[in-house]
Amino acid sequence: MSTQPYGLIAMYDTPAAAMHAAEQVRDAGYKFWDVISPFPVHGMDRAMGMRRSRVPRISICGGLLGFTTGMSLIWWTGGYNYKLLVGGKPFFSPLFAFPVSYELTILFTAFATIIGMFVLNGLPMHYHPVMKHPTIHRGSDDAFFIVIETRDPRFNAANTRSLLEKTGGKEIAELES
Amino acid sequence: MAHAESTAHAQHSHPILSEVNPVEIPRAVLIENKRDFAWITEKICGIIEGKTPTWWWVLFIAACFVASFTVAGITYLVSTGVGVWGHANPVNWAWDIVNLVFWIGIGHAGTLLSAILCLLRQKWRTSINRAAEAMTIFAVVCAGIFPVFHVGRVWFAWYLFPIPNSNAIWQNFRSPLEWDVFAVSTYGTVSVLFWFVGLVPDLATLRDRFANAGNKLRARLYGFFALGWRGSNRHWSNYEMAYLILAGISTPLVLSVHTIVSFDFAVSLLPGWHTTIFPPYFVAGAIFSGFGMVLTLMLPLRAIYKLEDLITQYHIDCMCKITLATGTMVGYAYGMEFFIAWYGANPYEGFAFINRAFGHYAWAYWIMIACNVVTPQFFWFKAVRQNTALVWILSIFVNVGMWFERFVIIVTSLARDFLPSSWGYYSPSIVEIFTFFGTFGVFSVLFLLFIRFLPIMPMAELKAVSPQADPHAGHDHH
Amino acid sequence: MSTHASSPSAPAPGKALLVGIAGIAVSLLGLFVHGAEKFATSWLIGMTFWVAVALGVLFLVMIHHIFDAGWSVMLRRQYEHWLSSFTWLALLFVPLLVIAWTHPTLLWSWMDPHYDLAAHGGHGTVGDDVLWSKKSGFLNRNFFTGFTLVSFAAWIGLAAIFRRNSFTQDGDGDAKWTLSSRKWAAGGIPLAAITLSGCIILWVKSTEYHWFSTMYAVWFFANCMRVGLSLGLILMVWLWCRGDFKGLLNDNHMHSIGQLMFAFTVFWAYVTFSQYFLIWNANVPEETFWYNIRETGDWFYVGMTLLFGHFFLPFLTLIHYPVKVNKKLMPYIAFFIASIVLLDICYNVMPSQKVASGDPLPFLQGGLIWTIAAVIGIGGICVWAYLRSFATTKLIPIRDPRIGECLTYHQGHAD
């Protein structure tokens, strides 16, 4: 069964070149495409026409969950399940429950943020068509790539290739899926 | 004046823009000699890919030897009982908590570099933050040894956590020691997570390099932890946001950890412990001691690996200045404590402070003042900051001074509290000295493993702050 | 003296002066309506508030220099104008010194050794009070006066240096002015920290001279920073609305100052919580009484308003990015924070005025109007000083080494 290729890849030498190219790909109306860079290029999100990341929403949920967990844990254990008088202090007070709830807020936020980030990114994913590209190791070193996927409705082997050429892409190649 | 011109051509031309003509005071470059991306990759990865140097083995074996002291001390403690430590009424808390606070404090500089300086957009942090974060984690490991083993029967240490047990009783959440359990374990966990997230792109770089060089085993190993990172910008976008949030939550975390550590003392009634400035004062002290340790570690590393292009004089200047600032804040807190002890007109409080300065432990107090308040003042002078050997020596003084600060706070207050009939004098036992001495070995072993097997600097971040990373460089854009 | 060539003409400071004089006149009226004690308290609150603003501004200018910050250069120019208010604040402090030397017990009972503590549920006179005599080396009228004068001299001096360095550089474009500011900022921060600490202890904490807390000065510093940042934001948006900052101010500037406002919201909460919590948990009567009197009557609700208004509300709004860059909403938040800082100062000053039973006077009472008048009056003078200075220089420091960075300010996410 001959499968459709995954997409076309082109290499760029500088962040500026990659960004100008990305702007043109964005303006050509592509949706399923990506930029590979060894570090986050400042302004690339806008050049790709991307929305602000949704990670913060997940983080906030984690934080709220953590705080609630802390408060209810301390209330339930000390103020309800097994009341024990210590140092004349109340069985429960949000004041002394605060430090632990605070720590749990941070702990849960951290987990939510990291898990949320990896899930949104679809990672871990150890095999990806892009990673079979022979010079892709430079994408984590000093080179920049643009990948346009074949599943994009505007994808057309010839037109897309000429767009990448026009933007100054080098070593344009097809990626097997 | 390239800046002024490019501004003047901006879309909304404000009349004043034509007058803008900034005087030239160039920003310090963060990477000297205009190194390119590939050079950074090569430099950092080269350390891992090269042959293990002889000095590394020498140091590693020495560190293992030193670490064995902790193992010996703990083994003896566990097989005998906590009585082998020098604690006795009234000083039932001494080196164990001193060492806990000391090590935790050292960790704080790592989080400060990675989190607070990230929020403050201090780009110079990038060269140092990876190693400093590693230092944080290893310091927390060393810190954890003391509270875990001071419980005596260490196999019951899980009683610290709210896990249902056969006694049906729960932890006392009114106790600051229970808050400590949560603070320190959260701190350790989040530090590891933060460090790991920062490592992922660099592990991917290592994976790609090893794969390209045909070293399949190491490519797989690094690749496993790189989680399939491929530098996609759609990923970077979420990644940067997550990193920023982690920095945002680590900042209150690092503040809260030492705050809660300070609560261990400040919520009590003991003179010299119960004072409201403790939280920020402990935090400033922690950052101060941490930067002392960062300097102690980074300066030799810089010399050995020839990292002068990445850890420049500017970086050393910045670290010295932070040490100076936090040391002076600590000095302010010492002064304020002393002043309020007098102003509060409580005779016990007043005595506690006079006793610290002129009592049996006065030697410790003056070591503390000399190391923590006086030493950093040398960093006012440029000539001192530029003398790397001198900076290194001063950083050692900072480490020593901060250990003594905790000793002074904890031991002097306990040894001389309200009731003269129960006054005492504390000296450590040989087992305590062994255990503490050994933790430097534990720390060094971990740190040496780190510099051998992991990228000691965040390559992706270094590239991102280098001048050629700016897509707007040299011309007008948009 | 060059004025802005083609941007909107500089606002006339006359109105602010009128408001100032009117406010001061009204608060003086309080002297006759409600008596001297009301006036004294009101004036102390007004002074403390506006000194907090000016000190916050001074700290922010010094922090800007010490960090060699780029984004805040054009904000710093507005702050430099505001620093001119220190001279007038020193002048407006004179009534408090007069009170100290003529009728000290209106505010600071410790200044009069013959003051009868029995009037408010105590015993004997101040002179017999061991809690005063022990600290009389610090709590005495001479030290109070001397320290206050030295502090004002230090603040006025620092303000003059930063103003001169920045304004002169507009003309000659010499780098030495920037370097000088950096040096003065490094030395000025410890100096300002010590004077701030001493003044807040002498002016405000000593109104309840039995009480002590090592955190107190840090609490005041947090408020100074919050109100200083709020002022900065208001000035930036005001100049933007007027048109001066059109094309200069961008979202990133808004975002950065918003982040600082957020950070200091957290810092204030941290400091205030720590102080309260440590005292609550240790439960020592010689400390807890200060909070206990603040839980009687309507002061309890003032405390709750501080908890929610000074922390939760700003925290939950400022955490959002769209809020921080919203030029319509942010000035309201800034005004809100500033007024809560004022409430916080009231919370610290007012309850030391007692009724015969020893309980504090309630917060909501007719005398509050004189406090508001004093705040408006002194504020009017500060605004007048700012506007007068505003007209004398360029809108932005055109020769500052970082002005280019500030005008093209765009930030990365994580660095």
Side-chain angles (χ1 to χ4, degrees):
Chain A
M1 193 179 103
S2 74
T3 51
Q4 213 189 3
Y6 175 77
L8 277 178
I9 189 164
M11 191 175 86
Y12 301 85
D13 286 331
T14 64
M19 197 149 108
H20 287 300
E23 280 165 354
Q24 292 176 50
V25 176
R26 172 195 69 192
D27 295 340
Y30 286 94
K31 292 281 169 278
F32 295 96
W33 62 290
D34 208 345
V35 175
I36 306 281
S37 60
F39 57 86
V41 178
H42 174 64
M44 187 62 92
D45 289 5
R46 198 160 32 152
M48 286 180 69
M50 284 164 53
R51 289 178 43 225
R52 208 174 152 81
S53 166
R54 280 176 302 169
V55 172
R57 297 179 204 180
I58 304 171
S59 309
I60 284 188
C61 296
L64 290 174
L65 184 67
F67 192 76
T68 328
T69 307
M71 282 289 170
S72 41
L73 171 79
I74 294 167
W75 168 79
W76 188 80
T77 54
Y80 179 77
N81 182 255
Y82 197 128
K83 290 184 186 176
L84 203 62
L85 193 59
V86 182
K89 298 227 154 44
F91 293 120
F92 177 77
S93 160
L95 278 173
F96 68 67
F98 186 75
V100 168
S101 309
Y102 181 90
E103 297 303 327
L104 289 178
T105 309
I106 288 173
L107 186 67
F108 281 43
T109 312
F111 274 109
T113 307
I114 291 171
I115 294 171
M117 186 264 284
F118 282 118
V119 168
L120 286 178
N121 285 350
L123 295 177
M125 183 199 278
H126 285 285
Y127 291 95
H128 191 273
V130 167
M131 288 156 91
K132 292 184 200 156
H133 186 58
T135 55
I136 196 68
H137 65 273
R138 289 195 58 198
S140 62
D141 180 5
D142 63 346
F144 305 81
F145 296 88
I146 287 184
V147 184
I148 301 179
E149 296 177 35
T150 47
R151 66 181 165 134
D152 194 290
R154 288 178 178 268
F155 187 88
N156 169 310
N159 291 350
T160 306
R161 182 179 284 268
S162 74
L163 172 69
L164 288 174
E165 273 164 8
K166 196 180 73 161
T167 60
K170 298 178 196 164
E171 300 175 24
I172 299 170
E174 212 166 67
L175 291 170
E176 328 163 16
S177 60
Chain B
M1 307 287 128
H3 253 313
E5 278 163 28
S6 69
T7 348
H9 296 305
Q11 54 272 59
H12 315 285
S13 213
H14 192 290
I16 198 140
L17 292 178
S18 56
E19 299 177 55
V20 169
N21 178 16
V23 48
E24 201 74 29
I25 303 183
R27 290 257 185 218
V29 290
L30 298 173
I31 300 171
E32 301 261 26
N33 296 327
K34 299 197 164 58
R35 302 297 191 177
D36 61 9
F37 298 142
W39 183 87
I40 295 172
T41 318
E42 197 59 43
K43 183 84 199 168
I44 309 293
C45 293
I47 295 173
I48 301 165
E49 292 161 356
K51 241 177 73 100
T52 308
T54 321
W55 63 261
W56 189 89
W57 278 114
V58 173
L59 286 182
F60 187 71
I61 291 165
C64 286
F65 175 69
V66 175
S68 68
F69 280 72
T70 294
V71 179
I74 287 172
T75 311
Y76 186 59
L77 172 94
V78 171
S79 57
T80 317
V82 263
V84 300
W85 282 354
H87 301 177
N89 241 346
V91 186
N92 283 312
W93 240 16
W95 272 38
D96 49 353
I97 190 109
V98 172
N99 299 338
L100 161 78
V101 182
F102 171 74
W103 276 115
I104 282 279
I106 282 177
H108 279 45
T111 321
L112 180 96
L113 272 160
S114 49
I116 301 180
L117 297 183
C118 170
L119 296 183
L120 291 175
R121 305 204 181 83
Q122 297 289 306
K123 290 181 177 174
W124 59 271
R125 64 179 262 287
T126 44
S127 297
I128 313 153
N129 76 350
R130 171 70 47 74
E133 283 172 45
M135 179 191 83
T136 297
I137 294 163
F138 307 148
V140 173
V141 169
C142 292
I145 291 173
F146 295 96
V148 167
F149 283 94
H150 102 298
V151 299
R153 290 176 290 174
V154 68
W155 49 95
F156 286 129
W158 62 276
Y159 276 8
L160 293 167
F161 292 94
I163 300 165
N165 58 54
S166 56
N167 299 324
I169 198 170
W170 293 105
Q171 288 65 29
N172 175 19
F173 285 102
R174 281 152 283 194
S175 161
L177 300 181
E178 186 60 23
W179 310 336
D180 249 0
V181 172
F182 281 82
V184 173
S185 51
T186 299
Y187 186 48
T189 315
V190 175
S191 299
V192 171
L193 289 174
F194 199 6
W195 190 56
F196 174 68
V197 168
L199 271 169
V200 164
D202 288 355
L203 293 176
T205 304
L206 281 163
R207 171 201 65 200
D208 292 348
R209 283 175 65 93
F210 280 121
N212 200 40
N215 188 337
K216 277 209 174 124
L217 178 70
R218 294 188 86 175
R220 286 230 169 132
L221 213 59
Y222 284 106
F224 177 77
F225 289 103
L227 304 176
W229 186 265
R230 56 179 188 274
S232 152
N233 192 61
R234 296 187 189 276
H235 292 177
W236 278 122
S237 172
N238 289 326
Y239 177 90
E240 282 205 280
M241 184 55 82
Y243 200 88
L244 193 64
I245 293 171
L246 285 174
I249 60 172
S250 297
T251 304
L253 173 65
V254 70
L255 296 183
S256 78
V257 173
H258 236 61
T259 296
I260 289 176
V261 168
S262 81
F263 283 170
D264 289 351
F265 312 105
V267 298
S268 75
L269 303 175
L270 207 62
W273 283 13
H274 176 62
T275 172
T276 49
I277 206 173
F278 254 29
Y281 151 40
F282 265 52
V283 172
I287 292 165
F288 173 63
S289 72
F291 268 88
M293 194 56 125
V294 170
L295 283 167
T296 311
L297 293 173
M298 292 313 279
L299 294 179
L301 217 55
R302 174 182 189 250
I304 292 170
Y305 286 125
K306 312 241 175 310
L307 297 170
E308 287 84 355
D309 286 347
L310 296 173
I311 305 175
T312 63
Q313 181 57 43
Y314 174 68
H315 290 93
I316 298 175
D317 269 356
C318 287
M319 287 192 277
C320 289
K321 285 175 187 168
I322 293 191
T323 312
L324 169 61
T326 47
T328 311
M329 282 182 211
V330 169
Y332 171 88
Y334 292 160
M336 184 53 86
E337 266 192 326
F338 229 108
F339 171 69
I340 296 289
W342 171 79
Y343 177 92
N346 178 322
Y348 299 103
E349 195 73 29
F351 170 77
F353 281 88
I354 298 294
N355 181 52
R356 273 184 192 173
F358 305 107
H360 286 88
Y361 290 105
W363 54 275
Y365 183 83
W366 293 108
I367 291 178
M368 164 185 110
I369 294 286
C371 292
N372 293 352
V373 185
V374 180
T375 306
Q377 306 308 324
F378 286 104
F379 292 139
W380 282 102
F381 307 103
K382 202 171 187 178
V384 175
R385 298 198 299 265
Q386 284 176 337
N387 184 338
T388 319
L390 186 56
V391 170
W392 191 76
I393 292 168
L394 290 174
S395 78
I396 302 279
F397 276 102
V398 171
N399 291 322
V400 172
M402 283 310 289
W403 188 87
F404 273 97
E405 179 196 294
R406 282 62 176 251
F407 181 82
V408 165
I409 292 171
I410 292 158
V411 175
T412 61
S413 284
L414 285 170
R416 294 278 187 280
D417 64 358
F418 299 101
L419 204 59
S421 64
S422 61
W423 284 358
Y425 189 86
Y426 161 85
S427 319
S429 78
I430 192 75
V431 183
E432 273 167 296
I433 296 173
F434 266 40
T435 312
F436 177 57
F437 174 65
T439 50
F440 289 96
V442 175
F443 181 83
S444 308
V445 166
L446 293 169
F447 200 78
L448 284 164
L449 288 172
F450 158 71
I451 57 176
R452 189 70 208 100
F453 294 107
L454 289 172
I456 58 168
M457 289 185 189
M459 292 179 278
E461 284 188 58
L462 277 174
K463 290 171 192 168
V465 300
S466 65
Q468 67 266 36
D470 183 6
H472 309 283
H475 57 90
D476 236 0
H477 190 65
H478 301 304
Chain C
M1 287 215 218
S2 63
T3 46
H4 316 297
S6 53
S7 52
S9 59
K15 268 188 213 157
L17 183 63
L18 275 182
V19 171
I21 291 172
I24 292 169
V26 173
S27 79
L28 279 172
L29 205 63
L31 198 60
F32 304 104
V33 180
H34 274 116
E37 194 173 359
K38 273 275 140 22
F39 167 76
T41 313
S42 300
W43 201 255
L44 178 62
I45 290 170
M47 281 310 297
T48 311
F49 179 75
W50 289 106
V51 167
V53 176
L55 275 175
V57 166
L58 180 62
F59 266 105
L60 284 161
V61 168
M62 293 194 289
I63 290 169
H64 168 99
H65 283 300
I66 206 130
F67 273 92
D68 190 8
W71 72 270
S72 48
V73 173
M74 59 189 212
L75 171 63
R76 198 197 70 214
R77 171 52 52 89
Q78 302 312 314
Y79 278 157
E80 283 155 0
H81 291 314
W82 193 272
L83 285 178
S84 62
S85 67
F86 266 127
T87 324
W88 300 102
L89 285 170
L91 205 63
L92 290 168
F93 200 87
V94 170
L96 289 174
L97 289 180
V98 171
I99 289 169
W101 285 91
T102 58
H103 299 85
T105 53
L106 293 177
L107 286 169
W108 302 289
S109 53
W110 51 266
M111 282 187 189
D112 178 10
H114 306 298
Y115 181 72
D116 188 6
L117 294 169
H120 297 312
H123 305 283
T125 61
V126 166
D128 305 329
D129 186 356
V130 69
L131 289 181
W132 174 73
S133 56
K134 282 264 188 190
K135 52 184 124 179
S136 56
F138 176 77
L139 287 189
N140 63 68
R141 204 150 38 189
N142 291 331
F143 190 81
F144 179 94
T145 315
F147 195 88
T148 302
L149 293 178
V150 168
S151 301
F152 270 112
W155 301 334
I156 292 171
L158 285 171
I161 288 165
F162 293 122
R163 281 164 56 81
R164 180 206 61 193
N165 286 356
S166 176
F167 297 165
T168 319
Q169 195 177 47
D170 275 2
D172 65 7
D174 196 331
K176 75 174 182 192
W177 301 117
T178 302
L179 301 176
S180 154
S181 291
R182 265 180 224 170
K183 289 217 172 75
W184 278 102
I189 288 176
L191 180 63
I194 291 167
T195 45
L196 175 151
S197 309
C199 284
I200 196 64
I201 293 172
L202 286 165
W203 300 351
V204 176
K205 185 153 91 171
S206 77
T207 56
E208 200 74 79
Y209 71 90
H210 282 186
W211 190 66
F212 53 91
S213 165
T214 41
M215 187 73 112
Y216 203 70
V218 187
W219 159 82
F220 186 61
F221 169 73
N223 270 329
C224 291
M225 294 299 281
R226 291 191 71 182
V227 80
L229 287 165
S230 299
L231 174 81
L233 185 117
I234 292 166
L235 293 178
M236 283 196 331
V237 177
W238 173 66
L239 288 170
W240 182 79
C241 289
R242 263 172 48 87
D244 305 73
F245 270 10
K246 284 253 160 62
L248 301 180
L249 184 70
N250 66 34
D251 278 0
N252 294 320
H253 297 112
M254 293 290 291
H255 187 208
S256 291
I257 194 168
Q259 281 178 313
L260 282 176
M261 288 168 75
F262 177 77
F264 277 95
T265 301
V266 177
F267 182 70
W268 176 90
Y270 168 60
V271 168
T272 312
F273 172 79
S274 296
Q275 177 173 286
Y276 179 82
F277 179 68
L278 289 176
I279 290 172
W280 177 84
N281 209 328
N283 207 11
V284 186
E286 61 194 50
E287 295 174 341
T288 49
F289 82 93
W290 194 86
Y291 280 111
N292 284 339
I293 56 178
R294 281 162 179 77
E295 281 172 13
T296 57
D298 59 2
W299 286 106
F300 174 77
Y301 299 99
V302 177
M304 285 295 127
T305 312
L306 285 176
L307 175 64
F308 287 94
H310 215 3
F311 174 61
F312 281 110
L313 214 59
F315 178 84
L316 293 174
T317 41
L318 288 175
I319 201 166
H320 302 290
Y321 175 81
V323 173
K324 280 185 281 226
V325 297
N326 185 329
K327 293 197 190 71
K328 287 211 175 66
L329 187 56
M330 279 303 277
Y332 290 104
I333 297 177
F335 271 117
F336 178 76
I337 290 175
S339 34
I340 293 273
V341 169
L342 177 63
L343 185 72
D344 199 7
I345 292 170
C346 291
Y347 184 76
N348 277 264
V349 176
M350 283 181 167
S352 54
Q353 282 189 309
K354 304 284 191 327
V355 295
S357 66
D359 279 344
L361 280 175
F363 171 65
L364 288 175
Q365 24 101 6
L368 205 55
I369 191 156
W370 316 120
T371 308
I372 295 166
V375 170
I376 292 174
I378 300 169
I381 301 294
C382 292
V383 173
W384 171 67
Y386 161 78
L387 292 177
R388 257 167 47 113
S389 175
F390 180 85
T392 58
T393 68
K394 297 280 180 198
L395 179 64
I396 52 175
I398 47 168
R399 306 300 307 270
D400 188 279
R402 306 288 174 244
I403 185 68
E405 259 176 60
C406 173
L407 293 171
T408 53
Y409 180 47
H410 49 75
Q411 66 202 32
H413 280 316
D415 45 44

